[in-house]
Amino acid sequence: MSALPPGSTIGILGGGQLGRMLAMAAARLGLRCHIYSDHSGPAFDVAAASTLGAYDDLDTVRRFAETVDVVTYEFENVPCATAEAAAQVKPVRPGVKALEVAQDRLVEKTFISGLAIPVAPFAKVDCDASLNQAAGALGLPAILKTRRLGYDGKGQVRITSTADLACARAAIANAPAILEGMVGFEIEVSVLVVRGLSGEMRFYDIPHNTHANGILDTSTVPAPITHETRERAFALAGTIAAALDYVGVLAVEMFACGEAASAPLIVNEIAPRVHNSGHWTIDACAVNQFENHIRAVAGWPLGPAERHSNAVMTNLIGADVDAWEQLAAEPASGLHLYGKNDPRPGRKMGHITRISPKTGD
């Protein structure tokens, strides 16, 4: 397929802040965005068009797809049936396979380990007996995670001793789950890879990610890792993107365990979309992750992924946003607010990226 010309319309399933930033990036390229969501969100404020509809209303989804030239999505829990309905009408990029893999942690871990890529030890849990068996096999402490849904620390519980086993499944509403063995690591990192229609791939520099209360707190570039670790991380992410025949930006979260470890990098999970840990690219790169995602799904040449600055991105969670005036006055920083009301605890209201002269490769 040839590249979509300026004036074409990108359909986005999901109306949150990622959809908002995708629509803003598309507008820079002269492309329009049409948002489909089951509720009004930040993306509606900046898109050329929007449709309110249930994700399981497949007739409305198909009518939406008829109004656009290509469809993408801004969150990984778009029902596969929704993406498949859209794909009956227009191309959906990334494809449905990426959703199928990313939506189920057991499928995801099995898929990645099948590529000979290290993951945390894991076992399927669907009853008390299988939990006890998994705990015996993997050892404790371990983390019990729901197979589906759950993000920002939700849908999981840490099991530190056998005394915790009795109530662990109840803590996640007895949902189908996996038990993951604990991984000894030095830092958490992520790779943002963009893959085009031709299979061409480009990689953003790797951020060091820190979390608070299960939510991403900061992403700092460059991460304190060796050149060898960085190149290995790029190779692992590229292998996953190619195996999925992926188009767009893919985030691969990893544990960096040190060069002396038997597995210096262990993949934690993937997100088939633009990602919070790549928000720094808006201020520190000529072409950010959102624009490169739009370029990829529209069939355009990929833009450069190199950074021109060091960066520290900090999420503004809940009442953090109340300091917007002071944050806006900071030098060498970019403030990004998502247009949300109700700054309740745990809610991502925006982010600020502080840049400094580039060091490192």
Side-chain angles (χ1 to χ4, degrees), residues 105-106 109-110 120-126 130-138 142-145 147 176-181:
R105 288 187 172 91
L106 178 62
K109 286 284 193 294
T110 303
F122 67 97
K124 178 182 178 182
V125 171
D126 51 19
S130 60
L131 174 59
N132 290 331
Q133 183 178 10
L138 300 181
I143 301 177
L144 185 67
K145 298 181 178 181
R147 285 177 56 176
I178 63 170
L179 188 70
E180 287 187 12

Side-chain angles (χ1 to χ4, degrees), residues 8-35:
S8 300
T9 301
I10 312 292
I12 301 176
L13 298 170
Q17 65 262 22
L18 299 181
R20 177 188 181 95
M21 289 181 272
L22 284 170
M24 292 166 70
R28 169 173 165 168
L29 302 177
L31 297 165
R32 297 161 52 88
C33 284
H34 184 165
I35 307 297

Side-chain angles (χ1 to χ4, degrees), residues 20 22-23 53 68 79 85 167 175 256 268 319 342:
R20 177 188 181 95
L22 284 170
V68 305
C167 58
N268 180 30
D342 186 19

Side-chain angles (χ1 to χ4, degrees), residues 11 36 85 93 144 178 207 228 339:
Y36 185 99
R93 300 170 183 152
L144 185 67
I178 63 170
E228 291 74 19

Side-chain angles (χ1 to χ4, degrees), residues 20-215:
R20 177 188 181 95
M21 289 181 272
L22 284 170
M24 292 166 70
R28 169 173 165 168
L29 302 177
L31 297 165
R32 297 161 52 88
C33 284
H34 184 165
I35 307 297
Y36 185 99
S37 179
D38 59 2
H39 65 281
S40 181
F44 282 53
D45 294 338
V46 300
S50 58
T51 294
L52 278 172
Y55 289 114
D56 60 1
D57 184 349
L58 302 186
D59 287 338
T60 301
V61 170
R62 282 185 281 264
R63 287 195 296 271
F64 156 77
E66 289 171 354
T67 71
V68 305
D69 297 293
V70 66
V71 176
T72 189
Y73 40 87
E74 62 114 39
F75 70 112
E76 62 267 51
N77 290 320
V78 171
C80 289
T82 304
E84 288 168 349
Q88 294 168 5
V89 182
K90 293 291 168 62
V92 173
R93 300 170 183 152
V96 178
K97 182 178 180 180
L99 290 176
E100 293 172 340
V101 170
Q103 286 180 359
D104 187 314
R105 288 187 172 91
L106 178 62
V107 174
E108 180 183 68
K109 286 284 193 294
T110 303
F111 175 81
I112 295 171
S113 61
L115 299 174
I117 293 174
V119 298
F122 67 97
K124 178 182 178 182
V125 171
D126 51 19
C127 63
D128 290 341
S130 60
L131 174 59
N132 290 331
Q133 183 178 10
L138 300 181
L140 298 177
I143 301 177
L144 185 67
K145 298 181 178 181
T146 57
R147 285 177 56 176
R148 303 182 70 86
L149 303 176
Y151 62 95
D152 290 343
K154 300 178 179 67
Q156 56 185 265
V157 59
R158 183 178 295 241
I159 301 174
T160 58
S161 68
T162 54
D164 298 329
L165 292 172
C167 58
R169 291 186 62 243
I172 59 169
N174 296 314
I178 63 170
L179 188 70
E180 287 187 12
M182 299 293 288
V183 172
F185 63 92
E186 294 180 348
I187 61 172
E188 295 182 62
V189 298
S190 55
V191 177
L192 280 295
V193 52
V194 57
R195 186 172 185 269
L197 282 175
S198 68
E200 175 190 9
M201 287 187 275
R202 298 194 179 180
F203 300 87
Y204 287 97
D205 206 348
I206 296 175
H208 170 203
N209 300 320
T210 65
H211 296 77
N213 300 315
I215 302 173

